Amino acid sequence: MLDNLFCCISEPGDAVLLPRPYYAVFEFDVQCKAGSTIVGVETVGVQPEVKGVERYYPTLKGLEKARDSALQQGLNPKVLLICQPNNPISVCYPKHVMELVWEFAEKHGMHLVSDEIYGAGIHAKQADFWSISRLAADKGRTLGDYVHVIYALSKDFASSGLRCGMMYSENQQVLKSMRKLNDLCQISSHTQWGLSRVFSDTEWIEDFLSKANSRLNDRFKLVKKSLEPEGVKVIEAEAGLFCWLDCRSWLEENTWDAEKKLYQQFFDEAKVLLTPGYSMRTEQPGYFRCCFATHEEVFNEGMKRLKDFGADKLRIEELEEESDDWQTGKYGKFPTTT
Amino acid sequence: MLDNLFCCISEPGDAVLLPRPYYAVFEFDVQCKAGSTIVGVETVGVQPEVKGVERYYPTLKGLEKARDSALQQGLNPKVLLICQPNNPISVCYPKHVMELVWEFAEKHGMHLVSDEIYGAGIHAKQADFWSISRLAADKGRTLGDYVHVIYALSKDFASSGLRCGMMYSENQQVLKSMRKLNDLCQISSHTQWGLSRVFSDTEWIEDFLSKANSRLNDRFKLVKKSLEPEGVKVIEAEAGLFCWLDCRSWLEENTWDAEKKLYQQFFDEAKVLLTPGYSMRTEQPGYFRCCFATHEEVFNEGMKRLKDFGADKLRIEELEEESDDWQTGKYGKFPTTT
């Protein structure tokens, strides 16, 4: 869905700005057919004074810096891509952040793509999800020709195998092109038939989401309860199937090489696979994404192994929050993906 | 499947040679993402002395002429695309024709794409289907890096809704790229699961194809029996769900405008929809593709209406086989698609 949308709104030589850290497969979606390039928007790095989850919110400074960077690379900053609830941070951006990104995109005549694939998987009571559509309604306006919303059933409905994505846009040119592109990648008609039956049953859908989200929240709390005593800080997850672990106290040194080593140790010693921050294009080493949506016994075993791993691990002093860009080389050479 | 393959083997500025008449959606497959251009290969037009189905076989003269035409348009003739059993002619090319196209592609360093989507739907006893793979086996050679075979379940297995296509190639670079591109358009996993069960049952498959093909052949014979007494010549169909009608005796005059008018009359007066030759990029006006794979009562009613239409139709004198290219304007302005 995203690759088709990017074929419609961008082309080779265009930059797609995307707040870091981010789901790195976006790079493929943007590059593969549209030939465009992701330019990461620094978040943590441009506001070293900010603590907590706020440090991950896109800021005007970060957005302007990314736009300048695109221009300096000879790229045309054409699209701003927002993933919220965010992957991998698993939080919803507050209203003022969504206002900022929309205003920024409008000011520069950029398309704003809001990927809300985790939008029905909000499991935390405190979450206040400002879908771009909710923001438009709040402002009494339409989305206009430059805002496009993406959703899919893969995550919230545990249906990645159905391959069912969708887009909402008011741009008639984009809709016309997307309809034609869809001829090349439609989902099976029996899948459509089945889904139309499932989604006719509003009561079932509400019950399913309510139960699934309640279970996801319980699961997140177990991660937090298991790992925080071992020195791992966990951002308060609000949505999705994962949470964001600050494992910096387990790093041997504050470098990407050490992160890579820790990733390998999780795999070799604890036999647990976590997504390392460098593959989510994070700005500092030592962070991992932990997917917790799995069978109970698998999850419990995984948590036990991680706890044991942490207990054995030589603790280094808790690090100050640092904000420098990994690209500066301060943390050593950024490891190549293997 | 085809659009992904063309993304791998061609690019903007490349020409894809394709014998006429052809299924016009190939133009979209080649153009949409790969940005390449179809250049039609004349068949009938370059051998005016030949009669019968042989006139539709690609010839060296036609292939060279198309290649020259591509070069003259500043296009790089990169791929030769063959659809066989052929849509819309519904015949299999004989061995010597398949040898010719392969030799031609090899000589010019072109990729040869053999679209064999009707390859399991051969219903005529006399048919001798030379899949490019059969030809390779016959010659004791492999396909090599430049030959790619396309198949899909849509037609022979009446499963267009399943959206399941496949490719066979020995080119490792193409295979690697196709695997990655497939991430963006995989079919649902439950569809894959169902199909793996169906295709494990060889006996059922053989029985299904045997019955389906026997019925298709019976149906074709009924078309022939119904329409030939009304002055319509029908090419002896060997495969697929349709046949090729020469309705030139029903044309008011030998022009594309007259073909368009006849198409509209079929629709308005007989309430029957036939695919006109101009939309299959045929070389002369007056031909139509007739799909006959439908419910028996619908088919019978359609045939009755066409017979009645023909009986009412003022007959014009039977025309000599003519071979001039429609592009010469001899048959009047080529109608724009509506």
Side-chain angles (χ1 to χ4, degrees), chain A residues 22-202:
Chain A
Y22 60 78
Y23 178 58
V25 178
F26 281 132
E27 292 170 1
F28 179 66
D29 293 338
V30 157
Q31 175 72 42
C32 178
K33 286 183 276 172
S36 305
T37 308
I38 294 252
V39 173
V41 174
E42 277 181 74
T43 53
V44 176
V46 296
Q47 44 182 352
E49 70 290 359
V50 176
K51 304 291 174 200
V53 67
E54 288 78 7
R55 59 205 285 265
Y56 290 106
Y57 297 161
T59 60
L60 186 58
K61 192 174 169 190
L63 291 165
E64 294 284 8
K65 195 176 168 188
R67 188 172 170 275
D68 289 346
S69 163
L71 292 168
Q72 275 159 27
Q73 294 170 58
L75 297 169
N76 175 26
K78 187 76 171 291
V79 185
L80 173 57
L81 172 59
I82 294 292
C83 175
Q84 85 118 354
N86 183 274
N87 177 4
I89 307 300
S90 65
V91 296
C92 306
Y93 294 138
K95 185 180 181 189
H96 71 87
V97 172
M98 290 306 290
E99 283 173 334
L100 168 73
V101 295
W102 198 352
E103 279 162 20
F104 179 84
E106 274 201 320
K107 177 181 160 197
H108 294 293
M110 294 167 74
H111 289 271
L112 175 62
V113 177
S114 189
D115 181 349
E116 304 181 357
I117 192 169
Y118 297 99
I122 293 162
H123 56 69
K125 286 206 174 64
Q126 80 279 9
D128 187 23
F129 174 48
W130 280 89
S131 161
I132 194 78
S133 333
R134 181 185 172 199
L135 189 60
D138 185 68
K139 295 189 175 304
R141 59 173 290 186
T142 60
L143 294 180
D145 280 345
Y146 285 85
V147 176
H148 320 283
V149 192
I150 291 287
Y151 187 65
L153 302 182
S154 317
K155 314 298 182 184
D156 298 337
F157 291 93
S159 306
S160 59
L162 299 188
R163 319 280 314 155
C164 182
M166 54 203 89
M167 185 195 72
Y168 180 83
S169 175
E170 295 167 1
N171 183 319
Q172 294 303 315
Q173 266 186 297
V174 166
L175 289 173
K176 193 176 170 186
S177 308
M178 288 293 277
R179 269 193 288 268
K180 195 68 193 160
L181 283 167
N182 198 37
D183 287 352
L184 300 171
C185 59
Q186 271 182 58
I187 59 170
S188 319
S189 21
H190 68 133
T191 306
Q192 295 185 43
W193 172 82
L195 287 173
S196 71
R197 285 179 59 106
V198 170
F199 282 88
S200 306
D201 191 344
T202 318

Side-chain angles (χ1 to χ4, degrees), chain B residues 26-265:
Chain B
F26 281 132
E27 292 170 0
F28 180 66
D29 294 337
V30 157
Q31 175 73 45
C32 177
K33 286 184 275 172
S36 305
T37 308
I38 295 253
V39 173
V41 174
E42 276 181 73
T43 51
V44 176
V46 295
Q47 45 182 351
E49 71 290 357
V50 176
K51 306 292 174 197
V53 67
E54 287 79 7
R55 60 205 285 263
Y56 290 106
Y57 298 161
T59 60
L60 185 59
K61 193 175 167 187
L63 291 165
E64 294 286 7
K65 194 175 167 187
R67 189 170 169 276
D68 290 345
S69 162
L71 292 168
Q72 277 160 26
Q73 294 171 57
L75 298 168
N76 175 25
K78 187 76 170 292
V79 185
L80 173 57
L81 171 58
I82 294 291
C83 174
Q84 85 118 355
N86 183 275
N87 176 4
I89 306 300
S90 64
V91 296
C92 306
Y93 294 138
K95 187 182 181 187
H96 71 88
V97 172
M98 290 306 290
E99 283 173 331
L100 168 73
V101 295
W102 198 353
E103 279 162 22
F104 178 83
E106 275 201 319
K107 177 181 158 195
H108 295 292
M110 295 167 73
H111 289 271
L112 175 61
V113 177
S114 189
D115 181 348
E116 303 181 356
I117 191 168
Y118 297 98
I122 294 163
H123 56 68
K125 285 203 178 66
Q126 81 279 8
D128 186 24
F129 174 47
W130 281 89
S131 161
I132 195 78
S133 335
R134 181 185 171 198
L135 189 59
D138 185 66
K139 295 188 176 303
R141 58 173 290 185
T142 60
L143 294 180
D145 280 346
Y146 286 85
V147 176
H148 320 283
V149 192
I150 291 287
Y151 187 65
L153 302 181
S154 317
K155 314 298 180 183
D156 299 336
F157 291 93
S159 306
S160 58
L162 300 188
R163 318 281 313 158
C164 181
M166 54 204 89
M167 184 195 71
Y168 179 83
S169 175
E170 295 166 1
N171 183 318
Q172 294 303 315
Q173 266 187 296
V174 166
L175 289 173
K176 194 176 170 187
S177 309
M178 287 293 279
R179 269 193 287 268
K180 195 69 194 158
L181 284 167
N182 198 38
D183 286 353
L184 301 170
C185 59
Q186 269 181 59
I187 59 170
S188 319
S189 20
H190 68 132
T191 306
Q192 295 185 42
W193 172 82
L195 287 173
S196 72
R197 286 178 58 103
V198 171
F199 281 89
S200 305
D201 190 345
T202 318
E203 202 179 324
W204 186 89
I205 292 289
E206 281 173 5
D207 184 56
F208 171 82
L209 286 176
S210 160
K211 280 183 185 145
N213 288 333
S214 159
R215 286 173 190 166
L216 287 168
N217 195 254
D218 291 347
R219 195 58 75 77
F220 164 67
K221 284 176 184 153
L222 282 171
V223 176
K224 199 173 157 83
K225 195 176 150 193
S226 303
L227 300 183
E228 286 203 335
E230 307 306 325
V232 169
K233 284 193 214 159
V234 189
I235 279 191
E236 203 62 33
E238 296 183 330
L241 318 171
F242 44 76
C243 59
W244 189 237
L245 310 181
D246 175 354
C247 301
R248 287 182 300 159
S249 68
W250 290 357
L251 284 185
E252 286 183 7
E253 53 177 31
N254 199 19
T255 64
W256 294 109
D257 281 341
E259 177 183 294
K260 194 174 181 182
K261 187 175 173 189
L262 182 56
Y263 162 78
Q264 200 62 47
Q265 283 176 327

